[in-house]
Amino acid sequence: MAHRHHHLVQETRASASPAIVRLNDVTIAYDRHPVVHHLSGGFAAGSLTALIGPNGAGKSTLLKAIAGVLPVSSGSIDFAIDRRQVAYLPQVVDVDRSFPLRVVDVVDLGHWRKAGATRRIGADDRAASYAAIAAVGLKGLEAQPIGKLSVGQFQRVLFARLMVQEAALILLDEPFNAVDQKTSADLMRIVCDWHAGGRTVIAALHDLEHVKRDFPEALLMAREKVAWGPSAEVLTDANLERARQLAANWTDPAAVCER
């Protein structure tokens, strides 16, 4: 019950907070074919939000646009923070593990992202990297080449890198995909710690039971907004059916957006 109470406290605080990032009639298109269509709304500072929707709904595309990896085609994304305070974790399949880096080298990258690549990694930074590696359950593997890690171990490394970034806004794209149940539970505890510390987390997910259990807020997408708000109000049978119907009517590529 304490776990749920924690979320209720956080939810109350988040709902009273101004938006840390706001979407203003955002359309994101590839070659003028929209993948995210006229989306408006705000993510409150300190909120914990799940992005959900059918495959192809635009969840990953939206995260990439908020992260600055993809441009918006029309509308705008406005931030109440410095863009350098945004941390983004793509899907595991999008991460190249062929570089001959050690675990600690990857985690150290988090310091460079927040302070600039010209600054040297100091003793305090390295100590923070070692502490983060221990916190994600990989103590003793600091010098392990990342190519020798399992998918779950590597995801833990990427979470450690996020930890040292100390970002105000954290974007996670299917962070629990392809990892075992224990890794998923351990990483979710880290997400809850970030939330408890007042950070804003937006995560694309597909497991509705996980969303209902751990995420106070949800944005249900089907290339456009279906519903956005408290998860219990968003994840109704009617809303989920509407998202399915929208997906069933998609033509790929989507029609050119003329508006």
Side-chain angles (χ1 to χ4, degrees):
M1 191 64 189
H3 183 60
R4 184 69 198 135
H5 173 71
H6 154 77
H7 276 329
L8 289 173
V9 171
Q10 293 293 331
E11 193 172 336
T12 301
R13 185 182 71 192
S15 62
S17 302
I20 195 169
V21 58
R22 184 166 293 282
L23 312 176
N24 303 304
D25 198 29
V26 168
T27 292
I28 309 163
Y30 295 100
D31 193 26
R32 293 183 66 213
H33 297 284
V35 180
V36 173
H37 210 251
H38 298 289
L39 188 59
S40 292
F43 295 94
S47 58
L48 175 58
T49 306
L51 296 186
I52 51 176
N55 287 337
K59 303 184 294 292
S60 294
T61 299
L62 178 60
L63 287 178
K64 287 176 181 174
I66 296 172
V69 177
L70 276 180
V72 299
S73 304
S74 64
S76 65
I77 302 177
D78 297 335
F79 293 84
I81 54 171
D82 189 308
R83 290 291 289 267
R84 287 175 297 186
Q85 285 202 286
V86 180
Y88 166 58
L89 181 61
Q91 290 190 36
V92 171
V93 293
D94 295 335
V95 178
D96 184 0
R97 283 210 280 158
S98 64
F99 288 102
L101 295 173
R102 302 171 301 159
V103 165
V104 71
D105 298 326
V106 174
V107 178
D108 281 347
L109 289 171
H111 299 296
W112 288 336
R113 284 171 183 241
K114 71 186 179 191
T118 56
R119 191 176 72 90
R120 291 176 63 90
I121 297 293
D124 289 348
D125 294 330
R126 180 51 62 84
S129 293
Y130 271 70
I133 292 165
V136 298
L138 296 180
K139 186 176 177 63
L141 295 182
E142 294 85 0
Q144 183 84 343
I146 59 173
K148 293 188 175 180
L149 301 177
S150 69
V151 172
Q153 287 175 321
F154 187 59
Q155 194 73 334
R156 290 174 186 265
V157 172
L158 296 180
F159 264 67
R161 187 183 71 187
L162 290 172
M163 290 172 80
V164 302
Q165 270 185 262
E166 299 178 348
L169 173 61
I170 300 168
L171 311 172
L172 306 171
D173 196 354
E174 295 287 0
F176 311 113
N177 253 13
V179 301
D180 61 85
Q181 197 167 357
K182 183 182 187 317
T183 298
S184 179
D186 288 347
L187 296 181
M188 189 61 219
R189 275 194 289 274
I190 293 170
V191 171
C192 288
D193 286 344
W194 286 333
H195 183 220
R199 300 192 195 184
T200 308
V201 182
I202 308 170
L205 300 168
H206 63 272
D207 184 339
L208 294 182
E209 292 308 313
H210 186 178
V211 175
K212 290 174 184 175
R213 185 177 67 245
D214 289 321
F215 286 77
E217 304 280 324
L219 166 54
L220 175 58
M221 300 174 60
R223 298 189 178 169
E224 62 190 69
K225 178 172 71 178
V226 177
W228 192 349
S231 296
E233 297 173 18
V234 168
L235 298 177
T236 64
D237 290 343
N239 285 338
L240 293 169
E241 180 57 29
R242 173 161 161 70
R244 281 191 289 268
Q245 288 176 352
L246 286 167
N249 291 329
W250 289 336
T251 56
D252 283 309
V256 169
C257 182
E258 301 293 354
R259 290 205 280 149

